[in-house]
Amino acid sequence: MLVDSFNRKHDYLRISLTDKCNLRCLYCMPVDLPESFLATRSMMNVDEIVAIAKVFVDLGVTKIRLTGGEPLVRKEVREIISRLAKFPVQLALTTNAVLVDEYIDLFVETGLRSVNVSLDSLEASTFEILSQRKHFSKVVANIQLLLDRGFHVKLNMVVLKEVNHKEIPAFVEMTKNAHLHVRFIEFMPFKGNGWDKQQVFSSDEIISLINKNFQFHKLTDRPHDTARNFRVDNHVGTFAIISTMTEPFCDTCNRLRLTSDGKMKNCLFSNGEADILSALRKGDDLVPIIRQCVWQKKAARGGQMMGDLGDISAENIDNRSMISIGG
Ligand code: SAM
Ligand code: SF4
């Protein structure tokens, strides 16, 4: 079991398969990033991903989520999913859904049933402004495909004030007849993403906007939930709020991260990283390196964003871009 100095137990690993993507979401990918994509040799190859994952599984990890960048653009993704699915873990995926139709049969065959999809707008024009690509219809069709095939689907919407916040009620309306879990995520600061606190549409603002349109009730959150969950009365699906900026949920965090170049991060906002891939290539024992990284985990938000929203300044945050961490 991986336990930190605050007695938090860690059994959930998020593995980034690539820092590349077929979308260019403004809040995620820095403007200069396409020139700085990682070279293949600095990334974990398939055998290395599987070998590192095995060490984490032996240390008590029971859930692995594949992310990125866009995990489905990694050319060996079939082999990676097939091999990781053999571990005794719940395997899950976070994707922009552009390529889901190409891989959905593989998901079924391997038992990958939980898919989180990012969708920031229900209007093609806003989707294209935010993602800088014209894949709206494909994404919407693939979300429907996942629902039709009985997948457990969470829809992630990053809420940006005056860009898409007015669409929150329309997203909640989607939960009326579909077994869909919509999650509203507060805009977070990462390297090069132009974060501005004025653009954060807070959890309180989200709740009050939904309150004007729906009658809803609180659901019981599960022990390690990073979201507060709600259901509109008589709706089939649910909605949730991920309030990282205004009400962080670090007390019960059970997550660890592995970047596509094999660096371990004990928090999304940590500035320290443990170089697991180099250690593996040298033949070192990974267990003490992993244990030490977990032990060094800070109480909240990587020890970087202390205080309230008003106190946070993007320039003072030392971290990678979101796309190169793996969200
Ligand atoms: N490409 C996949 C996708 O978009 O779902 C997986 C990787 S993406 C980095 C994972 C999640 O991080 C997405 O739901 C995305 O919306 C979220 N994300 C990226 N940048 C963010 C930011 N600045 N604030 C909040 N969430 C962000
Ligand atoms: Fe790509 Fe996901 Fe980042 Fe958008 S949020 S640029 S889809 S990695």
Side-chain angles (χ1 to χ4, degrees):
M1 183 55 77
L2 292 164
V3 181
D4 72 5
S5 65
F6 301 92
N7 205 28
R8 290 175 295 202
K9 296 175 182 59
H10 294 76
D11 55 8
Y12 180 5
L13 177 67
R14 299 166 78 100
I15 304 178
S16 172
L17 299 187
T18 177
D19 65 339
K20 299 173 185 65
C21 190
N22 42 9
L23 299 184
R24 294 282 182 276
C25 303
L26 297 172
Y27 53 74
C28 175
M29 187 182 274
V31 273
D32 61 348
L33 195 90
E35 283 80 55
S36 61
F37 282 138
L38 288 165
T40 306
R41 69 181 175 286
S42 63
M43 291 176 56
M44 297 181 289
N45 65 34
V46 178
D47 288 339
E48 289 166 340
I49 292 172
V50 175
I52 295 172
K54 171 146 190 351
V55 178
F56 277 93
V57 172
D58 290 345
L59 287 167
V61 161
T62 56
K63 177 171 177 181
I64 294 179
R65 176 174 297 281
L66 303 178
T67 180
E70 172 48 41
L72 298 181
V73 304
R74 172 94 189 225
K75 66 178 188 319
E76 308 100 333
V77 69
R78 276 181 197 282
E79 185 185 353
I80 296 169
I81 291 177
S82 303
R83 289 177 65 182
L84 293 179
K86 297 202 171 81
F87 288 132
V89 293
Q90 184 197 341
L91 191 59
L93 176 78
T94 300
T95 174
N96 59 30
V98 173
L99 296 173
V100 154
D101 50 320
E102 291 179 28
Y103 292 102
I104 196 159
D105 290 337
L106 172 79
F107 302 159
V108 173
E109 282 157 26
T110 54
L112 191 162
R113 303 298 301 169
S114 166
V115 181
N116 291 3
V117 178
S118 302
L119 181 68
D120 301 316
S121 178
L122 299 173
E123 292 163 15
S125 54
T126 310
F127 177 94
E128 283 172 22
I129 290 168
L130 276 170
S131 68
Q132 300 179 77
R133 292 293 183 271
K134 292 182 184 292
H135 289 310
F136 178 73
S137 336
K138 188 83 187 295
V139 169
V140 170
N142 277 341
I143 292 169
Q144 193 56 50
L145 184 63
L146 285 165
L147 290 170
D148 292 346
R149 300 276 297 262
F151 281 78
H152 181 74
V153 182
K154 291 183 186 162
L155 216 60
N156 290 340
M157 179 209 197
V158 178
V159 188
L160 300 169
K161 199 176 268 180
E162 299 308 334
V163 177
N164 61 356
H165 84 262
K166 294 193 179 82
E167 293 192 52
I168 289 173
F171 272 84
V172 174
E173 186 63 28
M174 289 173 79
T175 67
K176 188 168 183 179
N177 298 313
H179 283 277
L180 195 59
H181 308 277
V182 176
R183 308 196 306 170
F184 302 110
I185 308 179
E186 289 179 345
F187 179 31
M188 306 174 214
F190 295 96
K191 188 172 173 203
N193 78 345
W195 185 82
D196 174 359
K197 56 176 83 97
Q198 307 299 336
Q199 265 195 300
V200 176
F201 196 71
S202 72
S203 153
D204 285 351
E205 290 172 301
I206 294 169
I207 289 284
S208 96
L209 180 54
I210 297 174
N211 217 359
K212 283 188 191 132
N213 294 272
F214 300 95
Q215 277 205 315
F216 59 93
H217 53 276
K218 178 88 186 62
L219 299 172
T220 310
D221 302 325
R222 282 162 307 168
H224 302 292
D225 267 345
T226 53
R228 282 181 296 135
N229 297 282
F230 304 87
R231 189 193 299 275
V232 172
D233 303 349
N234 303 320
H235 278 205
V236 174
T238 61
F239 72 91
I241 301 177
I242 302 184
S243 55
T244 313
M245 300 312 300
T246 61
E247 264 180 89
F249 35 75
C250 306
D251 292 357
T252 56
C253 181
N254 64 341
R255 284 136 206 259
L256 300 169
R257 288 163 196 275
L258 192 60
T259 64
S260 56
D261 56 340
K263 308 289 190 305
M264 178 181 168
K265 284 172 75 74
N266 56 24
C267 170
L268 184 56
F269 297 106
S270 66
N271 53 8
E273 299 180 344
D275 190 351
I276 303 290
L277 180 58
S278 297
L280 181 82
R281 287 179 180 174
K282 278 193 277 172
D284 293 346
D285 183 1
L286 303 186
V287 173
I289 304 170
I290 292 171
R291 284 202 187 283
Q292 189 190 22
C293 182
V294 174
W295 192 256
Q296 288 169 340
K297 180 160 172 156
K298 299 283 198 305
R301 292 193 298 208
Q304 293 217 70
M305 295 191 286
M306 310 314 280
D308 297 329
L309 191 60
D311 305 322
I312 296 169
S313 154
E315 297 80 62
N316 297 336
I317 297 167
D318 175 19
N319 201 355
R320 295 176 176 226
S321 60
M322 176 62 125
I323 197 165
S324 64
I325 298 171

